[in-house]
């Protein structure tokens, strides 16, 4: 293992908060290597699944190289079986490690359970190993020093951070909860109250992680600022990650291999447009309903 831990830049956010946009803006930086969401939970069926380069993931040269690299080092990797998601087929292990970040008391209980239940510690290590193998292979292939994981999930930050394997830099990305809840309503068939509750619970989890991290390892960022002041916001992130600002480096123009969204355009700063459709799509009953469930936490985040 390297003496200096690899830097892992992580986008932690609720769904529909601009994490894909942010990933696509950061991906062309030559010091950053990314594949989008390393948890790869959406690639459960590789049949017909396309990499962002346009190739089928089973045909893409990049993924072939990654598989060969990991296999040559004695590890296991297959695009059909990532093993990078913190979940397991073993229901006991699954109950212990999933699904959310808890408060300090329950997290202490979880730590005991992981130590006491046979096989749990090994299973957790195996997931961390799988993540580390992909991170190293992707960074080597891109010749980049920083790995960007856009997986969003706060629970991954917890396990990554506690493992001590990486130098974590976490972007705490939020968007006005009325915007995320409106998107959630449209795409997940929830009503606004349910969507607001989901969003609120995710923010609470993110705050638990924020309390765990030293200040220098956390950057709070708003989706709205990313859209309104894109260049300034990207400069801030580069400074946070300790890499050269974009205007000092040549944006990488070669194809990138990112999972999760084949329509994503990489690095198109000029195409960034703030989505505030919620302002005309939510009626006053829905706004009241949101406010009742999550208004307080939304205003605490600076959304009035
Ligand atoms: Zn590809």
């Amino acid at each position: 293992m390297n003496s200096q831990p690899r830097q892992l830049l992580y986008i932690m956010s609720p769904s529909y908060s601009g994490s894909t946009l942010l990933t696509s803006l950061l991906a062309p930086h030559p010091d950053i290597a990314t594949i989008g969401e390393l948890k790869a939970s959406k690639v459960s069926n590789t049949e017909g699944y396309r990499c962002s380069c346009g190739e089928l993931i089973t045909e893409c040269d990049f993924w072939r190289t990654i598989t060969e690299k990991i296999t040559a080092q004695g590890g296991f990797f297959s695009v059909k079986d990532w093993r990078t998601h913190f979940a397991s087929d073993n229901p006991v292990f699954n109950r212990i490690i999933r699904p959310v970040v808890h408060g300090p008391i329950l997290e202490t209980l979880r730590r005991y359970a992981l130590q006491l239940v046979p096989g749990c510690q090994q299973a957790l290590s195996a997931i961390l190993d799988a993540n580390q193998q992909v991170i190293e292979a992707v960074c080597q292939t891109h010749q980049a020093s920083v790995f960007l994981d856009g997986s969003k999930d706060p629970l991954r930050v917890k396990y990554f951070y506690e493992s001590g394997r990486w130098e974590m830099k976490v972007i705490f990305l939020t968007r006005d909860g009325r915007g995320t809840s409106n998107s959630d309503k449209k795409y997940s068939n929830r009503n606004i109250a349910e969507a607001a509750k989901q969003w609120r619970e995710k923010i609470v989890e993110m705050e638990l992680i924020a309390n765990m991290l030293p200040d220098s390892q956390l950057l709070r960022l708003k989706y709205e600022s990313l859209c309104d002041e894109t260049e300034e916001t990207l400069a801030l992130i580069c400074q946070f990650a300790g890499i050269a600002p974009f205007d000092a480096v040549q944006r990488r123009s070669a194809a990138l291999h990112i999972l999760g969204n084949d329509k994503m355009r990489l690095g198109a700063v000029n195409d960034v447009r703030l989505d505030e459709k919620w302002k005309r799509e939510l009626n006053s009953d829905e706004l009241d309903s949101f406010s009742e469930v999550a208004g307080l936490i939304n205003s605490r985040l600076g959304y009035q």
Side-chain angles (χ1 to χ4, degrees):
M1 199 176 281
N2 294 338
S3 52
Q4 189 132 24
R6 163 89 56 202
Q7 192 183 129
L8 208 166
L9 186 60
Y10 192 95
I11 303 174
M12 177 171 74
S13 77
S15 297
Y16 313 110
S17 302
S19 67
T20 306
L21 170 71
L22 181 55
T23 301
S24 75
L25 290 168
L26 290 171
H29 195 295
D31 292 339
I32 291 178
T34 187
I35 56 160
E37 298 194 7
L38 178 58
K39 70 180 174 193
S41 52
K42 286 179 190 142
V43 200
S44 51
N45 182 7
T46 51
E47 208 64 51
Y49 191 97
R50 282 193 190 276
C51 178
S52 66
C53 70
E55 280 289 351
L56 290 170
I57 192 164
T58 46
E59 303 289 317
C60 166
D61 277 345
F62 173 81
W63 289 110
R64 198 168 299 143
T65 305
I66 296 300
T67 310
E68 283 167 8
K69 261 191 202 308
I70 294 173
T71 312
Q73 284 163 7
F76 168 86
F77 180 76
S78 157
V79 291
K80 292 177 200 272
D81 186 11
W82 285 71
R83 305 183 184 181
T84 50
H85 192 34
F86 286 92
S88 155
D89 297 335
N90 176 336
V92 178
F93 175 53
N94 231 15
R95 262 187 89 167
I96 295 171
I97 61 162
R98 294 200 50 76
V100 296
V101 180
H102 303 296
I105 294 169
L106 284 178
E107 283 299 339
T108 304
L109 287 176
R110 166 143 63 192
R111 248 191 306 279
Y112 283 128
L114 276 168
Q115 279 161 15
L116 293 174
V117 177
C120 271
Q121 206 64 55
Q122 292 87 326
L124 186 61
S125 289
I127 299 173
L128 288 164
D129 288 346
N131 280 280
Q132 194 160 17
Q133 284 167 359
V134 179
I135 289 169
E136 286 310 306
V138 172
C139 282
Q140 283 165 19
T141 305
H142 280 315
Q143 295 183 302
S145 56
V146 176
F147 186 84
L148 170 68
D149 184 0
S151 291
K152 309 190 292 285
D153 187 353
L155 192 63
R156 288 176 71 76
V157 181
K158 177 193 132 65
Y159 290 125
F160 282 169
Y161 179 69
E162 286 178 351
S163 78
R165 296 187 186 205
W166 297 279
E167 188 201 342
M168 297 296 295
K169 294 271 175 146
V170 179
I171 299 173
F172 187 111
L173 177 68
T174 55
R175 176 184 172 199
D176 192 314
R178 290 165 289 194
T180 60
S181 299
N182 185 43
S183 300
D184 197 10
K185 182 191 109 177
K186 285 194 278 189
Y187 302 115
S188 313
N189 251 334
R190 293 191 179 92
N191 66 37
I192 281 294
E194 289 161 351
K197 182 167 175 282
Q198 289 262 338
W199 176 79
R200 187 191 67 199
E201 285 170 357
K202 195 54 71 182
I203 298 288
V204 168
E205 255 189 279
M206 287 166 59
E207 292 290 0
L208 288 167
I209 294 293
N211 289 338
M212 197 172 86
L213 293 169
D215 287 350
S216 61
Q217 288 174 253
L218 188 87
L219 179 69
R220 287 178 186 264
L221 203 74
K222 286 196 167 75
Y223 157 78
E224 292 79 3
S225 316
L226 178 65
C227 295
D228 289 341
E229 299 164 318
T230 309
E231 296 284 4
E232 295 85 339
T233 306
L234 292 178
L236 199 70
I237 296 171
C238 289
Q239 193 181 20
F240 172 63
I243 55 177
F246 268 103
D247 54 13
V249 299
Q250 196 87 43
R251 280 175 207 263
R252 185 164 41 202
S253 55
L256 288 158
H257 308 271
I258 289 181
L259 310 174
N261 189 344
D262 53 17
K263 287 192 221 72
M264 183 164 72
R265 296 207 34 210
L266 292 165
V269 175
N270 299 331
D271 285 353
V272 178
R273 225 163 286 140
L274 178 64
D275 175 357
E276 286 194 314
K277 286 197 277 293
W278 66 269
K279 287 186 174 173
R280 53 172 199 277
E281 291 180 355
L282 291 181
N283 62 37
S284 63
D285 283 349
E286 288 175 321
L287 286 170
D288 287 348
S289 179
F290 174 87
S291 190
E292 214 167 280
V293 179
L296 191 64
I297 208 160
N298 204 35
S299 61
R300 227 184 279 152
L301 288 170
Y303 298 106
Q304 301 308 329

